[in-house]
Amino acid sequence: MSAFYGHLLRHASGRIGIVLLGGIILLISCPSLVGAYSPDQIDLLALLQPPSWTHPLGTDLFGRDLLSRILYGGRHTLFIGASVVSLAFIFGVVIGSVSGFKGGWIDSIAMRVIDAILSFPALVLAIALSAAMGAGLTSATLAISVTLTPQFARLSRNQARRLSDMLYVDAARALGVPDHTIMLRHILRNGLVPLLTLAPLSVGTAILQVASLGFLGLGAQPPTAEWGADIAMNLDYVRVAPWTVFSTGIAIVLTVLAFNLLADATGAYFSPSQRITSEANRA
Amino acid sequence: MIYFFLRRVMEAIPVLALVLLAVFSLTHLIPGDPAVMLLGPDATNLQIMTLRHDLHLDTPLYLQFSTYMLQLLHGDLGTSLRTGRPVADSLRLYLPATAELAVVALLFSLLIGLPLGILSARKPGGIIDRILQLYTLCGVSVPAFLLAFGLQIVFCSWLDWLPVAGRSSAFAPQALTSGFALSGALFHGNVSMLADLGSHIVLPALVLGTFIAATLARFLRNTMLEALSADYILTARAKGLRQTQILLSQAFPNAVGPAIMVLGVQFGDMLGGAILTETVFSWPGVGRYMFEAIRTRDYSAIQSTTLVFAIIFMIVSFGTDVITALIDPRLRNGRSS
């Protein structure tokens, strides 16, 4: 594991990614460091102000400080991104390891379900699910995690299939160890490490989807500060006050970029000959 | 080949059934009583009972599903709560615009992706390869709607070269702007119409195309490099073939199959991106229709658009699988997932 971190630090994009992500996390955890204050404070005398000393990134259509909106919104966005991936990870690993270990009809059904999820364009499925469950952060989180489940399910299924051929699993079976114990003790514990390293890398994809849903009016509802929703809110003023949309947009790009840079470095660690970006992540 | 085709069809059937089941259950995800949710808080008991009856909510689930399937088979996608018109009619009206957008976007992605992929494989680590690396990174990090705004501001507000939104200028006759307008203009050789429609389609198609091009180029580069390390390339070099010939006539045909497969997978992302892009550019397509449906909580329209998108995506994946199998005989016998 420490070899992995060492590699991340040596790899150029890994280094940039770590610094970028570290900076973002530091800023959103202590917004007052850069003079950000309440994201909900309305100043009707300063609507859509361009960047200035009092408002380093300008103000939005309600006169709220954009820097504060972005930093507090970042908490929501990052938190949702992380929750989406954790949920998708849990769904995926449970489905994948059960179907990989049990095989047979359970495996066939589970894999057809995964195929069905993949038959929908990811964003379309996320939209449909979260619209049906009612707009809000919880339903958006659930909906996006469903679209990210297949990649974890397929990976952990492959792991489970590989590991259930191992001699020590045969030995455990011969000793009469019940199936669920074998799965927890042997399959899951041994198959989890590569999955765990890959999980954080999907956060970038998740954040993009969260922002897209917010942009479409699903996800976070006003006045909650969230990046996609904030962009949608300032949309009508994009031509008179482009900084409102672009400062928030740049925050999204930088955050997703940080995760994708780390994904790049991790990809290089696992297959040094072919430096794949986050294709696996998106596909 | 026939065997491959049939097996692929057999694989698709259970998945299609599950997709239909999933789309059907969307209405049942609506918290509480869908009829109450749809009618809002001011509905009378009679209205609620009537809608429950109209939506067949008062029958058992399996009957509801079979009714839904029967309706689908008759091309009935339900009635939009927003417009009061059959959803199928609206989709028929908007699909051509989305189809033309998708085709032009695919052309753009091929025009950008193929040369970039080949050139960066020619010299891995070189300047073009570096540019590609940066481009791919941006491609997976920039939200589609942000790129759309950026292009709008640069090309429409600052430079004033291209129209901001819509599918054609307001003065164009309505008959020419609906349906397959662009292909119609192309077919009839109507130059002024073509220029007008073309100037409208460039930006949205570019937004959709650049994202796919990034992944396509990246993937093609990797498969090209793999192909270039094969023995037959060494033979070709020993025979004295030029580098360009080796790249284009030896490595490329062997590398392009998997890249096309990726294009099929990316098509799904493009459909999702179409919702965002069409919204920004007021493109009168299915994506924008879906956006309007989301905004007004028009559930039957959301449900049907989802189904249409899924079916289009399934057809495209099916098509790419068949095409790659035609190109590469090795894939016919066992596909790796």
Side-chain angles (χ1 to χ4, degrees):
Chain A
M1 216 51 193
S2 68
F4 173 65
Y5 291 121
H7 164 85
L8 277 191
L9 283 174
R10 272 193 308 280
H11 198 271
S13 47
R15 252 193 329 258
I16 305 172
I18 287 176
V19 170
L20 204 54
L21 192 62
I24 291 165
I25 289 175
L26 181 70
L27 277 179
I28 64 170
S29 44
C30 327
S32 51
L33 275 183
V34 286
Y37 50 94
S38 163
D40 298 319
Q41 192 176 324
I42 292 174
D43 183 357
L44 292 175
L45 293 176
L47 307 182
L48 297 170
Q49 292 294 306
S52 66
W53 283 112
T54 37
H55 302 291
L57 294 177
T59 60
D60 70 358
L61 79 162
F62 293 115
R64 294 176 296 200
D65 183 48
L66 266 176
L67 181 68
S68 315
R69 287 293 290 176
I70 289 173
L71 293 184
Y72 283 95
R75 292 182 174 186
H76 276 120
T77 306
L78 271 187
F79 176 72
I80 304 163
S83 329
V84 163
V85 174
S86 322
L87 274 178
F89 183 82
I90 294 169
F91 293 156
V93 167
V94 169
I95 295 174
S97 27
V98 170
S99 75
F101 180 67
K102 294 273 186 189
W105 61 272
I106 296 181
D107 186 34
S108 310
I109 290 179
M111 285 307 113
R112 288 297 86 74
V113 170
I114 295 296
D115 284 347
I117 295 178
L118 288 172
S119 306
F120 291 95
L123 188 61
V124 173
L125 184 61
I127 288 172
L129 286 176
S130 69
M133 289 187 284
L137 280 181
T138 323
S139 62
T141 310
L142 270 174
I144 302 170
S145 64
V146 171
T147 68
L148 287 182
T149 300
Q151 62 187 54
F152 293 113
R154 285 194 165 169
L155 203 62
S156 62
R157 172 174 175 268
N158 290 346
Q159 290 279 358
R161 283 181 67 139
R162 189 176 59 83
L163 290 172
S164 40
D165 290 340
M166 291 282 160
L167 213 54
Y168 56 79
V169 174
D170 281 346
R173 274 213 192 94
L175 284 173
V177 180
D179 273 359
H180 57 266
T181 317
I182 297 183
M183 270 180 36
L184 280 177
R185 288 261 173 85
H186 301 296
I187 308 277
L188 214 53
R189 207 176 275 182
N190 285 303
L192 219 50
V193 173
L195 280 162
L196 274 176
T197 19
L198 288 175
L201 310 174
S202 308
V203 177
T205 318
I207 289 177
L208 270 186
Q209 291 221 20
V210 172
S212 301
L213 282 195
F215 174 76
L216 293 170
L218 300 160
Q221 298 299 306
T224 312
E226 191 274 322
W227 290 345
D230 273 13
I231 287 183
M233 191 175 56
N234 290 312
L235 207 60
D236 296 336
Y237 304 93
V238 65
R239 257 171 271 289
V240 280
W243 59 87
T244 51
V245 167
F246 283 96
S247 51
T248 318
I250 288 166
I252 297 176
V253 174
L254 287 181
T255 313
V256 179
L257 194 66
F259 281 106
N260 283 337
L261 282 168
L262 287 175
D264 227 12
T266 313
Y269 179 74
F270 282 111
S271 59
S273 58
Q274 274 184 41
R275 299 193 180 156
I276 26 172
T277 347
S278 40
E279 271 123 47
N281 211 336
R282 280 171 66 91
Chain B
M1 190 59 209
I2 302 249
Y3 177 69
F4 170 82
F5 190 80
L6 286 179
R7 200 186 54 191
R8 188 62 182 73
V9 172
M10 294 307 285
E11 268 177 19
I13 288 172
V15 176
L16 180 67
L18 282 171
V19 165
L20 286 170
L21 193 63
V23 173
F24 164 74
S25 4
L26 277 178
T27 355
H28 295 275
L29 280 177
I30 302 176
D33 187 338
V36 178
M37 278 295 291
L38 294 174
L39 287 169
D42 296 328
T44 62
N45 265 343
L46 183 66
Q47 280 175 314
I48 293 176
M49 294 305 281
T50 319
L51 187 67
R52 281 181 65 87
H53 183 71
D54 288 348
L55 294 176
H56 307 288
L57 289 175
D58 46 3
T59 54
L61 268 179
Y62 66 91
L63 272 183
Q64 286 183 36
F65 184 59
S66 54
T67 323
Y68 179 68
M69 290 305 296
L70 268 178
Q71 283 178 341
L72 279 186
L73 286 176
H74 287 95
D76 178 5
L77 296 175
T79 311
S80 159
L81 291 161
R82 179 168 60 98
T83 59
R85 296 181 43 193
V87 177
D89 286 0
S90 305
L91 287 180
R92 215 169 288 140
L93 188 67
Y94 295 128
L95 256 178
T98 302
E100 283 192 340
L101 183 62
V103 169
V104 178
L106 272 180
L107 283 180
F108 274 140
S109 69
L110 290 177
L111 278 178
I112 305 171
L114 293 184
L116 205 55
I118 295 173
L119 285 177
S120 63
R122 200 177 63 161
K123 216 186 235 175
I127 179 86
I128 296 180
D129 196 27
R130 286 289 166 88
I131 293 174
L132 176 63
Q133 206 171 358
L134 196 69
Y135 174 41
T136 327
L137 212 52
C138 292
V140 291
S141 307
V142 176
F145 55 87
L146 197 70
L147 180 65
F149 285 130
L151 290 178
Q152 251 184 357
I153 290 214
V154 172
F155 288 100
C156 312
S157 299
W158 292 352
L159 297 172
D160 200 16
W161 284 355
L162 293 166
V164 173
R167 198 177 174 203
S168 60
S169 303
F171 59 79
Q174 168 67 27
L176 289 176
T177 58
S178 52
F180 290 97
L182 191 66
S183 13
L186 203 64
F187 185 70
H188 293 297
N190 187 338
V191 177
S192 63
M193 197 67 210
L194 199 63
D196 184 51
L197 291 166
S199 67
H200 281 85
I201 210 171
V202 167
L203 289 186
L206 202 60
V207 170
L208 288 178
T210 40
F211 289 104
I212 315 179
T215 317
L216 175 67
R218 188 67 174 182
F219 206 82
L220 184 62
R221 169 198 178 267
N222 289 341
T223 48
M224 283 286 283
L225 283 181
E226 214 169 287
L228 281 172
S229 64
D231 285 343
Y232 57 82
I233 298 291
L234 200 65
T235 315
R237 270 192 226 288
K239 280 194 329 194
L241 252 69
R242 287 175 201 286
Q243 176 71 2
T244 332
Q245 273 176 313
I246 291 178
L247 277 174
L248 292 181
S249 65
Q250 304 284 320
F252 181 70
N254 287 296
V256 78
I260 288 178
M261 211 115 139
V262 163
L263 213 57
V265 175
Q266 287 292 302
F267 192 81
D269 281 356
M270 191 168 88
L271 289 179
I275 301 171
L276 304 168
T277 315
E278 288 185 0
T279 304
V280 175
F281 287 102
S282 305
W283 188 262
V286 182
R288 206 176 103 92
Y289 179 69
M290 191 175 195
F291 172 69
E292 295 291 338
I294 297 165
R295 254 195 7 190
T296 47
R297 303 283 177 267
D298 187 350
Y299 286 106
S300 57
I302 297 177
Q303 194 182 21
S304 309
T305 338
T306 307
L307 182 63
V308 167
F309 272 133
I311 288 180
I312 293 176
F313 188 31
M314 286 181 81
I315 294 173
V316 168
S317 322
F318 186 80
T320 43
D321 276 5
V322 172
I323 291 173
T324 33
L326 281 174
I327 293 177
D328 190 344
R330 285 169 300 179
L331 291 172
R332 277 175 222 165
N333 304 319
R335 280 179 321 122
S336 56
S337 57

